[in-house]
Amino acid sequence: MPTKTKPTACLALADGTVFYGKGFGATGVTTAELCFNTAMTGYQEIMTDPSYAGQVVTFTFPHIGNVGVNPEDDETQDPVAEGMVVKWDPTEPSNWRAAEPLWNWLEKRGRIGIGGIDTRRLTRAIRQQGAPHVALARDPDGNFDLEALVAKARAFPGLVGLDLAKNVTCAQSYRWDEMRWAWPDGYPRLEQPKYKVVAIDYGAKRNILRCLASAGCDVTVLPATATADEVMAHKPDGLFLSNGPGDPAATGEYAVPMIQKVLNDTDMPVFGICLGHQMLALALGAKTIKMNHGHHGANHPVKDLTTGKVEITSMNHGFTVDSQSLPAGVKETHVSLFDGSNCGIAMDDRPVYSVQYHPEASPGPMDSYYLFERFAAAMQARA
């Protein structure tokens, strides 16, 4: 008779449901909101995306860990997602760029993984009931206090009303000139910038900054709490509002006044994505709402209402702009073809616009890179 082995990790939902599996990465317990991501590539980029602060990610694609990890693919210095849930245990990496296995990387960075989970069942539950609060635990000896774990999940405060941008933003300003990865040299440097851009870091991904540099932008990154005076002190040609985590209404307490003052005092182009899109919408007078389970993946179809074109996009957000609340002078430019939710806005008479998705596509399709070029063209037209 084969010897039965204890599960070494478990996922406890606030409703009392418990999933057992095989743990990897760090040991301990973490609490978070649970979401699912449908991307087939880019698990390292997803785990290091600051927009996932406060969340455990369920990966619907089974082959997670098969290409290992490497320093070049980090979107920020360390993983930001609280943990990961996968169907199959990560395998030994098989890729020439791999520097170490996924489980080693997670262990050194204090993040818990659980494998052997029925991710299809878990994803259905998230879709039907909304993103649940969970406690994820790993113990190599397989000892779990289920009652305590469920209590921890129920005690998690959730993301509504939570300002997480302050937790993931940079501590001080810095310059960025690294461009997009190119074979065989890696990341080249921008040597002859054409435009000076201030990027507000609500949780910016490195590849978004690289796309700005590749569009000819000399980028100065400022913390999320930067004031309009601090922005204008750099005499920028344009303002960029980055992605980020948490409740946009909470971050808007300090971000909205800055954006409004820049809009009132200048005519410079403004471009926002993800949380930056929501910040711009709030600054223009719209409202944001919490979604049932959000959009997380690299296969989200979005329609550009101005051209009729459909783009396949990369998304990661749990809040959305309420399109019914858009004021006069602001038009809806993009909508999700999954659920009709807002995915883009623009002012009628100024080069001020934003999108909900991640046009740098890391990971994801390249359909939306033109938005960075549009931002550069707007700055060129103003020069």
Side-chain angles (χ1 to χ4, degrees), residues 176-183 186-195 197 205-219 240 271 359-360 366 369-377 379:
W176 186 276
D177 64 356
E178 192 174 84
M179 298 192 295
R180 296 162 67 196
W181 195 88
W183 171 264
Y187 296 114
R189 299 284 178 177
L190 176 64
E191 295 181 356
Q192 294 182 314
K194 299 177 181 178
Y195 320 104
V197 169
K205 297 166 67 177
R206 290 173 178 170
N207 272 303
I208 290 171
L209 301 179
R210 290 179 183 125
C211 286
L212 288 170
S214 291
C217 301
D218 177 4
V219 182
F240 176 77
F271 175 28
E360 97 295 344
M366 301 301 295
Y369 179 74
Y370 71 90
L371 290 166
F372 295 99
E373 296 170 336
R374 179 185 291 177
F375 184 43
M379 290 185 285

Side-chain angles (χ1 to χ4, degrees), residues 218-260:
D218 177 4
V219 182
T220 300
V221 183
L222 297 185
T225 53
T227 65
D229 290 341
E230 290 170 337
V231 170
M232 298 312 300
H234 293 275
K235 297 182 170 54
D237 300 311
L239 174 64
F240 176 77
L241 309 172
S242 86
N243 63 294
D247 188 339
T251 304
E253 292 291 329
Y254 55 85
V256 163
M258 179 278 287
I259 298 169
Q260 289 175 333

Side-chain angles (χ1 to χ4, degrees), residues 37-222:
N37 188 299
T38 57
M40 293 190 290
T41 61
Y43 55 82
Q44 183 180 345
E45 291 91 335
I46 290 165
M47 289 297 293
T48 55
D49 180 352
S51 298
Y52 279 109
Q55 294 180 298
V56 166
V57 183
T58 299
F59 289 86
T60 63
F61 188 68
H63 301 287
I64 301 301
N66 57 336
V67 294
V69 295
N70 69 83
E72 285 190 332
D73 289 348
D74 286 341
E75 291 291 356
T76 191
Q77 185 170 351
D78 289 304
V80 181
E82 296 294 333
M84 65 192 309
V85 180
V86 299
K87 181 175 179 61
W88 292 344
D89 298 337
T91 59
E92 286 286 345
S94 177
N95 187 277
W96 66 273
R97 297 178 68 233
E100 63 181 320
L102 174 61
W103 58 84
N104 279 4
W105 183 76
L106 290 172
E107 183 177 13
K108 289 191 293 187
R109 288 161 175 78
R111 292 297 185 267
I112 302 171
I114 181 172
I117 299 298
D118 185 347
T119 52
R120 184 180 294 274
R121 176 188 167 195
L122 194 55
T123 298
R124 281 202 305 266
I126 296 170
R127 288 181 62 88
Q128 293 167 3
Q129 302 165 25
H133 298 171
V134 300
L136 174 60
R138 182 189 175 215
D139 180 354
D141 296 325
N143 298 318
F144 302 105
D145 184 339
L146 298 183
E147 189 174 326
L149 289 174
V150 171
K152 284 179 179 289
R154 290 173 178 168
F156 180 70
L159 302 185
V160 175
L162 206 58
D163 172 27
L164 291 175
K166 283 183 179 177
N167 296 347
V168 297
T169 190
C170 55
Q172 58 188 23
S173 64
Y174 62 94
R175 294 276 298 280
W176 186 276
D177 64 356
E178 192 174 84
M179 298 192 295
R180 296 162 67 196
W181 195 88
W183 171 264
D185 299 321
Y187 296 114
R189 299 284 178 177
L190 176 64
E191 295 181 356
Q192 294 182 314
K194 299 177 181 178
Y195 320 104
K196 183 178 270 190
V197 169
V198 166
I200 304 300
D201 177 14
Y202 300 121
K205 297 166 67 177
R206 290 173 178 170
N207 272 303
I208 290 171
L209 301 179
R210 290 179 183 125
C211 286
L212 288 170
S214 291
C217 301
D218 177 4
V219 182
T220 300
V221 183
L222 297 185

